[in-house]
Amino acid sequence: RQRAEAAHLGRSLAADQGGRAIGVILSGTASDGVKGMKDIKEAGGITFAQDEATAKYTGMPQSAVAAGAADFVLPPDRIAQELARLARHPFGRLAVAIQAPEMPLKEKDEGTEFNRIIALLKAETGVDFTHYKHSTINRRILRRLALDRVENLADYVAYLETHRPEVKKL
């Protein structure tokens, strides 16, 4: 029953908050919550698992990592630091404005950096994203900015240009 509740919590959070969801797996036994963490990650959220070297019981964090459900694997104090960083990051500011009608990367701000990202995506994938919904692209960019610890669009473009595997991840 407890496992079903953990999976339901993550699934419900992912369904309700989508890309704004953040999941954390700490010390524990079995694989409680792994399905929920996968749901959060698939919805575009960000997930954390406790580093097993710091966990009293490693079953849950190990299961999350083995399943590919953890974006970050850190000790608890670093998880707290990352959560605080995300709260200040554009990704976190989006999370605060749950019903925000606009994305943090507004169309008027989508100048050369945004267009450069679209061009890099087209060169790497062959897909022209210029006609995709800007809000969808913005959410994906914000998630990647948060995961790569990049604070602004100009720095992300530079990062994409020097780390080509990141273009595929985006």
Side-chain angles (χ1 to χ4, degrees):
R1 179 175 163 87
Q2 196 173 28
R3 286 186 185 137
E5 289 172 359
H8 180 71
L9 173 64
R11 185 174 47 253
S12 295
L13 181 62
D16 185 58
Q17 295 299 309
R20 296 182 296 261
I22 296 176
V24 179
I25 293 280
L26 298 173
S27 178
T29 60
S31 59
D32 298 4
V34 172
K35 174 67 174 116
M37 291 280 281
K38 283 182 172 181
D39 290 338
I40 290 169
K41 191 169 177 176
E42 287 172 9
I46 295 178
T47 57
F48 295 86
Q50 182 176 356
D51 182 316
E52 68 181 82
T54 64
K56 182 174 181 179
Y57 302 104
T58 61
M60 286 174 54
Q62 280 179 339
S63 294
V65 172
D71 292 311
F72 295 99
V73 180
L74 303 167
D77 60 329
R78 290 283 319 281
I79 291 173
Q81 290 172 359
E82 284 296 308
L83 290 172
R85 181 186 68 81
L86 286 173
R88 294 184 304 273
H89 190 275
F91 178 90
R93 289 195 299 273
L94 172 63
V96 171
I98 292 172
Q99 299 299 325
E102 296 183 38
M103 300 297 295
L105 304 174
K106 295 178 183 66
E107 217 170 304
K108 65 180 167 64
D109 299 329
E110 293 173 359
T112 56
E113 289 92 1
F114 186 85
N115 292 333
R116 182 68 187 138
I117 291 171
I118 297 299
L120 288 167
L121 286 168
K122 184 175 182 180
E124 188 68 32
T125 67
V127 177
D128 182 1
F129 288 92
T130 55
H131 301 293
Y132 278 63
K133 291 193 320 188
H134 287 205
S135 60
T136 300
I137 296 169
N138 283 335
R139 278 193 305 275
R140 306 259 178 183
I141 291 171
L142 283 173
R143 181 176 191 278
R144 294 307 311 168
L145 284 167
L147 291 175
D148 293 324
R149 296 178 175 96
V150 178
E151 297 297 320
N152 61 61
L153 208 51
D155 289 345
Y156 188 59
V157 170
Y159 184 73
L160 286 171
E161 290 174 337
T162 58
H163 296 85
R164 297 306 280 209
E166 175 63 21
V167 177
K168 286 190 183 230
K169 290 179 183 177
L170 173 61

